[in-house]
């Protein structure tokens, strides 16, 4: 009820109570502000931190990435080591195939010509010098026919092989007429004869193996037919064969058919050839022919030109009896039948065999089949006298292991090893996404370095090739890529070959099977993260420097912390480096480090960018 004396219904409050309420509010407000300041309750730690964090010192904030400009220096560690040049005698140093070390091993089965790497205490920790007068190689295709003498100053082959048209010395260059022991009139004519039987022209044949390649003229001229040949030869008294091949811009490695498996996966090559390669094919019950069979794709071709083919004509020149040579050829043909190879052609000096597409029609009388240990598990594994079985098929017309599209369609088609689920963790979808990703990455590389994709970088290496996406995105007649699959990573090399690319297994804790200065561009994606607990970054970087040409380039893609360690070591190696953000922006922890090797040569005093000291 409303009082008639107070119509609003509010009781009148005394002034004293109002002042009391206002006073309490002010007191608690001041108390709260004092406690929130951090200086209440004797908080001496908070007081000290607050004094140190004086915001007034940050007068110039900059939120741009500083990875390009700032070198991380750890006060507790010494400055980057400066690597000195090695003695000039190491100009052609090949750590795992050196002559002095090789001669300590048995000669049986060419063991002494295989890989024998130095122990840790014998590794060189210096920079391999280029020879005096070293010049940038001629660009392809001129490099196929001409090489600067100063780059490979070895004349012995011009004398030893003078009548066989391998190589000629003309002024200050070597000239390669395209000849060979079994094709002195030129590789083109020889290949034309092969192409009358083998479908080289239509893209059916893309990858080839040349055993005992000499200076790789066969591989050089197969490139005109869009065929990539993996050529190999030992480092022997025919000095610098592989070095000449790579200087010409032709894929090649130092290697030999000896006592261990070739560093290639099963079913890798569309064809293989031996042109007077002098490999004893019937020795050890045909072990070497069985190894070629392991790496030859079902439906692939094997070419033999040279002994014992055409023995009736050459037996006196070869200083062997008719009976001996006839028996050798008969034995080769018996082995071929066991391997499921069919002879398709024999005329003059050439015989051509074709491996059947599956084993449904094979006649194998108690053949010794290899036990299932994994036909791609080959790194330092002893070669066995056994036949690698064909993959199983459901019909007589099915190609064992899967049929491939003709090149170039097979470059981006789904490889059979992936469609059949044989590569752990890789699906059709992830393979296709990988291709998209590498096209994006390579486009970013070309923005950073405009020479990528040009003839300036002819010999390219991918140190951790994965599924071959980098090489596929870079595919061009101007360059070729050696796709390396590290032995400690996922085995994807079979996929790479199914795409029509070439590559090799390797452990980057050891030296690569090549001469110094044989690659123009090296791509290292995640290599140092992969090996950070396996071996020294320094050893890997020094090996990269050994195989990289003066003024060649390296692209590293890795986590920024790893790349900062790499950059610190590279700072003492006469490399110019620059850190770049990931193409998706500075917030991505993966970065791109680009390096260029300075030009310098051995044996001359002077400044660091032009000579060795």
């Amino acid at each position: 009820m409303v009082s008639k004396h107070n119509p609003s219904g509010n009781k009148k409050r005394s002034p004293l109570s109002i002042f009391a309420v206002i006073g309490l509010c002010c007191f608690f407000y001041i108390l709260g502000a004092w406690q929130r300041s951090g200086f209440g309750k004797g908080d001496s730690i908070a007081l000290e931190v607050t004094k140190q964090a004086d915001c007034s010192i940050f007068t110039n904030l900059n939120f741009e990435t500083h990875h390009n400009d700032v070198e991380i220096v750890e006060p507790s560690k010494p400055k980057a080591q400066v690597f000195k040049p090695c003695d000039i005698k190491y100009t052609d140093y090949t750590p795992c195939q050196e002559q002095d070390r090789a001669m300590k091993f048995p000669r049986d089965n060419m063991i002494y010509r295989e890989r024998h790497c130095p122990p840790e205490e014998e590794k060189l920790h210096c920079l391999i010098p280029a020879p005096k007068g070293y010049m940038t190689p001629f660009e392809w295709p001129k490099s196929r026919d001409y090489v600067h003498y100063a780059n490979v100053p070895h004349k012995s082959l011009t004398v030893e092989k003078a009548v066989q048209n391998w190589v000629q010395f003309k002024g200050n260059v070597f000239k390669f007429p395209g000849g060979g022991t079994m094709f002195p009139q030129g590789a083109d004519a020889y290949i034309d004869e092969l192409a009358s039987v083998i479908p080289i022209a239509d893209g059916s044949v893309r990858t080839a193996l040349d055993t005992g390649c000499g200076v790789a003229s066969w591989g050089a001229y197969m490139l005109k037919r869009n065929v990539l040949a993996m050529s190999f030869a030992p480092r022997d008294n025919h000095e610098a064969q592989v070095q000449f091949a790579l200087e010409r811009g032709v894929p090649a490695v130092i290697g030999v058919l000896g006592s261990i498996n070739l560093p290639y996966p099963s079913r890798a090559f569309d064809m293989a050839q031996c042109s007077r390669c002098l490999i004893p094919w019937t020795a050890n019950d045909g072990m070497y022919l069985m190894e070629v069979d392991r790496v030859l794709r079902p439906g692939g071709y094997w070419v033999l030109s040279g002994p014992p083919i055409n023995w009736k004509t050459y037996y006196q020149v070869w200083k062997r009896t008719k009976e001996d040579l006839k028996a050798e050829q008969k034995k080769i043909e018996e082995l071929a039948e066991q391997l499921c190879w069919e002879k398709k052609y024999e005329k003059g000096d050439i015989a051509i065999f074709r491996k059947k597409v599956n084993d449904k029609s094979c006649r194998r009388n108690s053949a010794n089949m290899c036990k299932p240990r994994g036909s791609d598990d080959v790194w330092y594994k002893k070669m066995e006298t056994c036949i690698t079985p064909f993959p199983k098929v459901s019909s007589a017309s099915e190609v064992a292991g899967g049929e491939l599209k003709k090149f170039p369609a097979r470059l981006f088609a789904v490889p059979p090893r992936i469609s059949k689920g044989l590569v752990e963790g890789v699906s059709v979808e992830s393979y296709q996404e990988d291709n998209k990703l590498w096209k994006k990455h390579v486009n970013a590389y070309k923005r950073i370095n405009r020479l990528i994709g040009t003839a300036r970088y002819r010999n390219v290496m991918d140190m951790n090739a994965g599924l071959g996406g980098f090489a596929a995105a870079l595919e061009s007649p101007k360059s070729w890529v050696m796709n390396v699959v590290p032995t400690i990573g996922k085995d994807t090399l079979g996929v790479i070959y199914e795409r029509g690319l070439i590559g090799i297994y390797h452990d980057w804790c050891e030296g690569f099977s090549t001469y110094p200065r044989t690659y123009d561009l090296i791509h290292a994606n995640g290599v140092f993260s992969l090996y950070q607990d396996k071996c020294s970054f320094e050893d890997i970087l020094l090996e990269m420097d050994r195989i990289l040409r003066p003024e060649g380039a390296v692209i590293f893609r890795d986590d920024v912390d790893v790349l900062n360690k790499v950059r610190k070591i590279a700072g003492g190696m006469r490399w110019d480096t620059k850190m770049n953000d990931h193409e998706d922006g500075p917030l991505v922890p993966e970065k791109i480090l680009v390096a260029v090797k300075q030009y310098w040569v051995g044996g001359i005093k002077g400044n660091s960018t032009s000579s060795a000291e």
Side-chain angles (χ1 to χ4, degrees), residues 70-80 537 560-569:
V70 180
E71 180 181 359
I72 294 179
V73 179
E74 300 176 26
S76 60
K77 294 184 178 180
K79 291 183 179 180
F537 281 15
V560 64
D561 294 333
V562 172
L563 289 185
N564 274 313
K565 295 176 184 176
V566 168
R567 191 181 192 186
K568 186 174 181 179
I569 298 170

Side-chain angles (χ1 to χ4, degrees), residues 57-126:
I57 65 173
F58 298 108
T59 58
N60 206 359
L61 291 177
N62 185 345
F63 293 98
E64 292 294 322
T65 178
H66 292 283
H67 293 303
N68 291 351
D69 307 308
V70 180
E71 180 181 359
I72 294 179
V73 179
E74 300 176 26
S76 60
K77 294 184 178 180
K79 291 183 179 180
Q81 177 184 350
V82 174
F83 296 93
K84 294 187 178 296
C86 304
D87 189 282
I88 194 69
K89 69 181 181 181
Y90 292 109
T91 295
D92 291 334
Y93 180 61
T94 55
C96 297
Q97 279 105 352
E98 275 301 281
Q99 285 286 88
D100 291 344
R101 184 174 293 104
M103 299 311 291
K104 300 175 184 177
F105 291 87
R107 297 201 170 206
D108 299 341
N109 293 331
M110 298 291 283
I111 290 173
Y112 75 117
R113 294 294 184 202
E114 294 178 331
R115 289 175 57 83
H116 303 291
C117 300
E120 189 64 37
E121 63 273 14
E122 292 182 24
K123 287 183 179 179
L124 296 181
H125 293 277
C126 51

Side-chain angles (χ1 to χ4, degrees), residues 100-292:
D100 291 344
R101 184 174 293 104
M103 299 311 291
K104 300 175 184 177
F105 291 87
R107 297 201 170 206
D108 299 341
N109 293 331
M110 298 291 283
I111 290 173
Y112 75 117
R113 294 294 184 202
E114 294 178 331
R115 289 175 57 83
H116 303 291
C117 300
E120 189 64 37
E121 63 273 14
E122 292 182 24
K123 287 183 179 179
L124 296 181
H125 293 277
C126 51
L127 305 176
I128 302 298
K132 183 180 177 181
Y134 179 89
M135 301 175 69
T136 302
F138 296 109
E139 287 192 356
W140 184 268
K142 186 175 181 179
S143 65
R144 185 193 68 185
D145 302 326
Y146 295 96
V147 164
H148 296 294
Y149 169 76
N151 293 10
V152 193
H154 304 296
K155 294 183 182 178
S156 65
L157 282 176
T158 65
V159 177
E160 290 183 39
K161 304 296 181 180
V163 298
Q164 295 167 4
N165 227 14
W166 276 30
V167 56
Q168 301 165 358
F169 182 54
K170 303 276 188 180
N172 61 352
V173 299
F174 289 110
K175 182 180 179 181
F176 297 85
T181 305
M182 298 309 298
F183 40 95
Q185 302 307 311
D188 268 334
Y190 175 79
I191 294 170
D192 284 341
E193 185 172 357
L194 301 184
S196 68
V197 180
I198 302 170
I200 292 173
D202 70 354
S204 298
V205 172
R206 166 63 176 176
T207 59
L209 181 69
D210 190 3
T211 57
C213 65
V215 294
S217 287
W218 184 75
Y221 281 81
M222 286 294 278
L223 285 166
K224 286 172 51 177
R225 323 285 178 119
N226 211 17
V227 174
L228 271 177
M230 171 69 78
S231 301
F232 70 81
R235 179 166 186 172
D236 59 8
N237 56 341
H238 292 164
E239 62 183 349
Q241 295 176 91
V242 167
Q243 191 175 18
F244 273 127
L246 286 155
E247 195 69 18
R248 298 173 72 185
V250 181
V253 292
I254 301 172
V256 65
L257 268 168
S259 67
I260 61 174
N261 290 124
L262 293 172
Y264 314 115
S266 59
R267 309 190 309 279
F269 297 98
D270 301 318
M271 72 177 293
Q273 82 119 17
C274 161
S275 174
R276 192 169 167 78
C277 60
L278 303 181
I279 293 171
W281 295 114
T282 58
N284 300 317
D285 297 320
M287 182 173 71
Y288 298 142
L289 212 54
M290 292 173 184
E291 178 64 358
V292 170

Side-chain angles (χ1 to χ4, degrees), residues 159-437:
V159 177
E160 290 183 39
K161 304 296 181 180
V163 298
Q164 295 167 4
N165 227 14
W166 276 30
V167 56
Q168 301 165 358
F169 182 54
K170 303 276 188 180
N172 61 352
V173 299
F174 289 110
K175 182 180 179 181
F176 297 85
T181 305
M182 298 309 298
F183 40 95
Q185 302 307 311
D188 268 334
Y190 175 79
I191 294 170
D192 284 341
E193 185 172 357
L194 301 184
S196 68
V197 180
I198 302 170
I200 292 173
D202 70 354
S204 298
V205 172
R206 166 63 176 176
T207 59
L209 181 69
D210 190 3
T211 57
C213 65
V215 294
S217 287
W218 184 75
Y221 281 81
M222 286 294 278
L223 285 166
K224 286 172 51 177
R225 323 285 178 119
N226 211 17
V227 174
L228 271 177
M230 171 69 78
S231 301
F232 70 81
R235 179 166 186 172
D236 59 8
N237 56 341
H238 292 164
E239 62 183 349
Q241 295 176 91
V242 167
Q243 191 175 18
F244 273 127
L246 286 155
E247 195 69 18
R248 298 173 72 185
V250 181
V253 292
I254 301 172
V256 65
L257 268 168
S259 67
I260 61 174
N261 290 124
L262 293 172
Y264 314 115
S266 59
R267 309 190 309 279
F269 297 98
D270 301 318
M271 72 177 293
Q273 82 119 17
C274 161
S275 174
R276 192 169 167 78
C277 60
L278 303 181
I279 293 171
W281 295 114
T282 58
N284 300 317
D285 297 320
M287 182 173 71
Y288 298 142
L289 212 54
M290 292 173 184
E291 178 64 358
V292 170
D293 175 71
R294 181 186 69 81
V295 300
L296 190 63
R297 193 179 310 286
Y301 295 85
W302 183 60
V303 178
L304 176 60
S305 59
I309 306 302
N310 205 5
W311 55 267
K312 292 178 183 179
T313 302
Y314 294 114
Y315 75 95
Q316 289 179 319
V317 175
W318 294 337
K319 297 180 181 179
R320 293 175 63 184
T321 66
K322 291 182 180 180
E323 292 74 21
D324 182 30
L325 288 162
K326 182 180 180 180
E328 183 180 347
Q329 180 159 348
K330 182 181 178 183
K331 178 64 175 175
I332 287 174
E333 293 181 355
E334 288 173 353
L335 285 166
E337 187 173 347
Q338 280 192 337
L339 295 170
C340 267
W341 296 5
E342 182 181 0
K343 185 159 77 170
K344 290 290 188 180
Y345 179 87
E346 183 178 345
K347 184 178 179 182
D349 300 337
I350 299 173
I352 300 175
F353 296 79
R354 189 185 186 200
K355 183 175 180 177
K356 294 187 178 181
V357 297
N358 59 49
D359 61 359
K360 290 291 186 182
S361 61
C362 292
R363 297 178 182 176
R364 286 176 169 167
N365 300 321
S366 64
N368 181 24
M369 306 302 290
C370 297
K371 295 177 182 177
R373 68 165 167 88
S375 53
D376 296 348
D377 178 20
V378 294
W379 186 247
Y380 283 125
K381 294 296 192 299
K382 286 289 183 184
M383 201 182 297
E384 297 177 6
T385 306
C386 61
I387 300 171
T388 303
F390 282 86
K392 298 296 183 184
V393 295
S394 56
S395 70
S397 61
E398 183 182 349
V399 178
E403 188 170 3
L404 299 176
K405 293 185 180 296
K406 295 178 180 180
F407 196 84
R410 73 192 256 194
L411 185 62
F412 289 104
V414 178
R417 279 173 166 88
I418 291 177
S419 62
K420 294 175 180 291
L422 300 179
V423 184
E424 184 180 356
V426 180
S427 64
V428 172
E429 293 75 20
S430 64
Y431 165 74
Q432 292 168 338
E433 284 300 315
D434 187 75
N435 285 331
K436 292 177 184 176
L437 182 65

